Amino acid sequence: MASSEENEMYSKKQWEGCMEIAVQTARTAGQVIREAFKHEKEVSTKSSPVDLVTETDRLVEDLIISSLREKYPSHRFIGEESSAAGEKCLLTDSPTWIIDPIDGTCNFIHSFPMVAVSIGFAVNKELEFGVIYHCLDENLYTARKGHGAFCNGIQLQVSKETADAFTHGDLQRLGCVNYASAAESLTITSHLKDGAQEDMSKALILTEIGAKRDPATLKIFSGNMERLLKAQVHGIRVIGSATLALCQVASGAADAYYQFGLHCWDIAAAAVIIREAGGNVIDTSGGPLDLMSRRIVAAGTVEMAHYIAQEIQTITYERDDHNAN
Ligand code: IPD
């Protein structure tokens, strides 16, 4: 009989094979998107007039899920367009593929070349690997838990730009040092200096707008930007693709990312890639990331992640798993 260690080794090997398939599938999907990018798109709306979908989003999601399901019939799937069509968005302990067929649909419609396929994979609700393929630039971002993050085979490393905003006492008051089980928290105490001064002045920050455009939401959105701009950050960018923005953090081209209103398929693959590049992904409350909560702060350093989490005000969105039971 196989020991539990042997079983674990077997699973890890198995996930490695799944990741190879994810890479092939993302490349094939990317080819379809690249071709469709040149042509007129058939556009419809989903939850709001700015939540868009094209026939290519649906076609590519079908293509990805059907080819993966053929290989892994017992696995579960969460996909952006299947969820929009009413399928339950439920993360269980089963091996689960979390798919965004086209991240940056609005960009795709406008032929703005920031468009990606995102495939994340979780087992026992833990993210095991992530694959994000920038279809136009043909940059392939990959990471498997414990094995580093790469872009086209070159290892990624987050920037170490530090907010230096918190003393140890500040974080204790915020409750942040209680997250001993979260990977992110393990580095908190070692990074902090007592009496540290706030300095965001070298940071380049990315964010995305989200689908809600009512006046109250827009006020919070611009207030959040204003507070960071007042902290004299170098700049704030909105590129129209949450996954590619998160890949910029993993690459060290940007120092941080925050957003309310994104989905588990925007977060899953990117969270593994950022962690494996040495970065931090947390909830906007400062606690551990919750894949279904539709909010995130990601940063190269733990100080910067917590600084941003403390500065921004919450925009509430319905959880991805609201219809799961
Ligand atoms: C969206 C994009 C957008 C972000 C949204 C995402 P989609 O994904 O990443 O930049 O603001 O929250 O849902 O709809 O293009 O796949």
Side-chain angles (χ1 to χ4, degrees):
M1 204 169 102
S3 68
S4 62
E5 268 163 31
E6 278 168 330
N7 278 336
E8 202 178 314
M9 285 279 288
Y10 170 72
S11 306
K12 292 225 180 308
K13 267 264 165 265
Q14 203 183 17
W15 310 149
E16 192 180 333
C18 291
M19 182 161 155
E20 281 160 20
I21 298 292
V23 166
Q24 285 168 23
T25 309
R27 284 193 191 280
T28 307
Q31 259 168 24
V32 175
I33 296 165
R34 245 188 333 269
E35 188 48 40
F37 193 78
K38 302 173 199 154
H39 303 288
E40 188 95 350
K41 286 98 179 172
E42 207 177 284
V43 183
S44 7
T45 58
K46 296 189 284 185
S47 66
S48 82
V50 291
D51 186 10
L52 306 171
V53 62
T54 69
E55 77 283 18
T56 311
D57 294 70
R58 296 195 179 108
L59 177 100
V60 171
E61 182 161 316
D62 282 353
L63 187 146
I64 295 175
I65 295 187
S66 58
S67 84
L68 293 175
R69 188 167 272 145
E70 207 179 291
K71 291 189 176 67
Y72 306 107
S74 65
H75 290 188
R76 299 179 69 102
F77 297 88
I78 294 175
E80 174 169 19
E81 306 317 333
S82 329
S83 300
E87 270 188 33
K88 284 188 176 168
C89 188
L90 175 64
L91 189 63
T92 66
D93 286 344
S94 305
T96 304
W97 299 78
I98 305 165
I99 297 151
D100 192 342
I102 303 185
D103 182 47
T105 299
C106 183
N107 287 346
F108 175 70
I109 290 162
H110 290 269
S111 302
F112 185 82
M114 295 298 273
V115 172
V117 178
S118 179
I119 304 179
F121 184 75
V123 183
N124 293 324
K125 302 192 186 78
E126 288 280 319
L127 294 164
E128 288 290 334
F129 66 75
V131 172
I132 296 175
Y133 185 46
H134 185 320
C135 312
L136 282 307
D137 278 3
E138 300 190 47
N139 280 334
L140 180 77
Y141 298 87
T142 54
R144 187 155 71 91
K145 200 162 84 185
H147 291 80
F150 299 86
C151 177
N152 295 343
I154 296 168
Q155 186 146 18
L156 299 176
Q157 172 67 56
V158 293
S159 92
K160 287 296 167 202
E161 194 55 50
T162 300
D164 265 0
F166 295 105
T167 64
H168 189 261
D170 289 335
L171 276 175
Q172 251 166 350
R173 275 190 296 283
L174 286 167
C176 296
V177 284
N178 293 332
Y179 301 119
S181 62
E184 283 78 20
S185 69
L186 297 176
T187 47
I188 288 179
T189 45
S190 60
H191 276 79
L192 291 171
K193 300 188 242 41
D194 269 333
Q197 294 299 305
E198 178 181 319
D199 180 14
M200 288 287 286
S201 68
K202 292 196 190 79
L204 184 65
I205 297 177
L206 301 177
T207 188
E208 289 295 326
I209 303 167
K212 278 191 185 174
R213 302 291 164 85
D214 60 282
T217 299
L218 292 181
K219 198 165 172 214
I220 301 175
F221 178 81
S222 43
N224 287 343
M225 271 201 170
E226 200 179 316
R227 273 190 295 285
L228 294 171
L229 292 169
K230 278 188 181 148
Q232 305 300 325
V233 297
H234 267 177
I236 302 182
R237 305 279 182 268
V238 176
I239 64 170
S241 160
T243 60
L244 289 178
L246 286 160
C247 286
Q248 299 310 312
V249 176
S251 310
D255 302 297
Y257 179 86
Y258 69 94
Q259 194 195 338
F260 297 96
L262 73 179
H263 294 273
C264 56
W265 43 83
D266 299 313
I267 298 174
V272 192
I273 295 171
I274 292 186
R275 284 176 179 149
E276 288 299 318
N280 305 272
V281 278
I282 61 171
D283 185 68
T284 52
S285 65
L289 179 74
D290 174 348
L291 197 57
M292 295 290 160
S293 71
R294 303 190 62 192
R295 49 200 217 176
I296 192 171
V297 180
T301 65
V302 76
E303 294 90 340
M304 184 159 305
H306 284 280
Y307 174 82
I308 292 173
Q310 194 208 22
E311 283 298 295
I312 57 178
Q313 221 185 309
T314 303
I315 298 171
T316 309
Y317 279 86
E318 195 165 50
R319 290 176 62 83
D320 275 332
D321 54 4
H322 71 276
N323 67 353
N325 299 312

